[in-house]
Amino acid sequence: MSRDRHVPDDDEINAFRQALREAGVRPIASNRADPGRRRRGDAAAAERRAAATTVADDLAGGGRTSDGRVEPVRPSEFLDFALPDLPWRTRQQLKRGRLAWEAGLDLHGHTLEEAREELEAFLRDACDRRRRCVLVVHGKAWGSTRNYPVIKSHVNAWLREWPSVLAFCSATTIDGGTGAVYVLLRRRGAEA
């Protein structure tokens, strides 16, 4: 089921800003986010991490993604992939952000191996829960030793290899733009 997102007009934005001023809200001094430390006690993340490393899942056709060389992508590059038999209309809905995403994963602050484990566990969990569309935030950060965004480039390669991924593309601006992707999944037991 798709849902259209409401885009506020100028009058609504101005009314919101005025309400903030009247409430005494002031701009912050710094425009930099403080992500802090990653939460290590998250039971769901630990469960996904454990599921990603089980041999049984690998043998059951889930398979690990490759860790070989990947084609580097630019930070602002629009990612776009779909299986050839995916209906055009479905692909256009995905590109326009018209398919509501049901779960999300943020890979900021992860090492490459942690990102791969988290992504694999997240995709398995999404398929088990019969999710149709999910959001993966990979960011656009440059690698410290490489001259391209490492996690974004690897996510681009990993999603192409994942058996239940029907399509993915960069998100709309409201959901992260070229720093995130919408992923369309094949529901377990369903036909493409």
Side-chain angles (χ1 to χ4, degrees):
M1 180 174 160
S2 66
R3 78 184 149 145
D4 292 331
R5 290 191 179 94
H6 173 71
V7 178
D9 61 10
D10 290 338
D11 291 335
E12 291 175 317
I13 292 171
N14 290 334
F16 177 73
R17 288 181 177 154
Q18 182 178 353
L20 288 175
R21 280 192 298 274
E22 290 172 0
V25 176
R26 297 180 191 166
I28 58 174
S30 172
N31 194 20
R32 297 192 69 192
D34 179 18
R37 291 191 172 246
R38 199 165 63 91
R39 283 181 260 151
R40 300 235 182 237
D42 185 7
E47 213 174 285
R48 288 194 308 268
R49 199 172 295 113
T53 59
T54 60
V55 175
D57 285 342
D58 291 342
L59 297 175
R64 289 180 57 89
T65 52
S66 74
D67 57 354
R69 292 181 172 229
V70 298
E71 181 178 337
V73 295
R74 294 183 313 275
S76 60
E77 186 172 344
F78 186 89
L79 301 181
D80 187 18
F81 166 81
L83 294 179
D85 57 347
L86 185 73
W88 181 85
R89 182 176 178 180
T90 304
R91 188 171 185 182
Q92 293 306 308
Q93 287 177 324
L94 185 69
K95 283 183 176 182
R96 293 180 181 143
R98 299 273 168 93
L99 297 176
W101 52 275
E102 300 164 87
L105 173 67
D106 188 351
L107 296 174
H108 283 107
H110 289 74
T111 65
L112 191 58
E113 187 57 30
E114 287 173 338
R116 180 169 64 170
E117 290 174 4
E118 288 292 321
L119 180 63
E120 289 176 359
F122 175 73
L123 292 174
R124 280 190 193 97
D125 183 57
C127 288
D128 289 345
R129 295 175 187 260
R130 299 183 52 79
R131 306 280 193 221
R132 179 71 170 153
C133 183
V134 296
L135 179 75
V136 176
V137 180
H138 48 68
K140 300 188 263 187
W142 295 77
S144 58
T145 59
R146 306 228 172 91
N147 59 357
Y148 62 92
V150 176
I151 293 195
K152 178 177 181 174
S153 299
H154 279 80
V155 165
N156 182 40
W158 294 336
L159 289 175
R160 291 171 190 267
E161 297 172 358
W162 199 257
S164 54
V165 171
L166 297 174
F168 67 89
C169 66
S170 291
T172 58
T173 305
I174 198 166
D175 286 331
T178 57
V181 287
Y182 298 124
V183 183
L184 185 65
L185 298 170
R186 175 181 285 118
R187 289 191 176 130
R188 180 178 261 178
E191 296 294 321

